[in-house]
Amino acid sequence: MCDRNLTWSGWYRFFINNISAQIPDTCVKIYRCGTYIPLWICGGHPTVQDGVVTRDVCGNDGKYCCYYGSYPIKIKACPDNYYVYELVSPTLCNSAYCAVYPSVDPCYNYTVLDNPWRATTYGSGSNCDQSVSWSGWYRLFINNMSTHIPDTCVARYRCGTDIALWIRGGHPTVQDGVVTRDVCGHAYSYCCFYGSYPIKVKACPDNYYVYELVRTTLCNSAYCAVINITPQKECTSQTFGECFENLLKQIMNITAQVLPLNTVTNILNVAFNTSDKILELLSSAKPTELAFYGNSMLKTSEKLISTLVKPTDTSANVSFTLATVEGQVFMIGPNVTLNKIPQLDTTNSSVDIDLIGIAKNNNES
């Protein structure tokens, strides 16, 4: 089939067997849709509020999803959850517009991808996403914590691979719907020296993102992930208190029992920076309101620091220093050989705690 032979005029709505359909906005394999070059739209579908938009039209050559480019078309989202298109003759034969059934919202229909090695704090490795059979939409986690693909440059030899992949163009808002983003990998002092196939990204109402991942162009390369605990982008001086509570709720909802030190310190930095902003905005607030935020911050800090406690047979310790906070954590196990726990010291304070005696009184737990 070749849509170049047709005389197009005006606007069209797609159906398949009398069921409403739409032009796909993700890559379509070659030799599909009854033609040699199946056409799809790049840039995602609009919302009703967007009105009429223009989208580029792409065709796959078997290696690159947008190798063939056709004339742009106009698209409009309609109130009853369908789309209409002002179609034009494609640039070449054999090419034709594809149609698919509308998909369910990927915010509630995704596959969980939880690989700790994808963290930007993880070193190099031999993982390669070219060998993965990707299908549909994915939400990224690290140790049960929601994450997102970084949208700023990631150094090479990170994320458990050689070429650490990030997305260029930033993340969308919920109002943006599904968007397309280029995928980049750093090398030779250039953040986008390596380019992989574009992917679809969608922002979801509960402050997370989903991605329609595809095989990467080369090995060893893999998608990276960073912790997704941040204040909401829509925060204003009038709603900052609500945003702060939302941030603390994200932290309290962490289900991971143990987290790496750098993950904990990164989240603590976000929380403390946000609390500093709260103090600036609430300089004239009531004492009860300030006490509420202070107690919430203490509970959050306790929650995070508790994830630094790792099971041990003997003893272990970890220390961290932030701009306004210092911390030390000491752990003992059933086979501890120390007679006394070393004094826990920070710049302006110290404390002696008989953890060995406490553990013995609690059956060494």
Side-chain angles (χ1 to χ4, degrees), residues 38-53:
L39 300 178
W40 59 281
I41 59 169
C42 180
H45 279 79
T47 63
V48 174
Q49 293 73 22
D50 291 332
V52 177
V53 301

Side-chain angles (χ1 to χ4, degrees), residues 24 52 114 168 189 203 252-253 258 279 281:
V52 177
D114 192 336
R168 183 172 63 178
S189 301
M252 295 303 291
N253 285 338
V258 178
L279 292 176
L281 295 173

Side-chain angles (χ1 to χ4, degrees), residues 271-294:
F272 281 120
N273 290 339
T274 308
S275 67
D276 289 344
K277 186 68 175 179
I278 280 284
L279 292 176
E280 293 176 11
L281 295 173
L282 300 180
S283 56
S284 60
K286 298 178 180 178
T288 53
E289 190 174 8
L290 292 174
F292 168 77
Y293 288 120

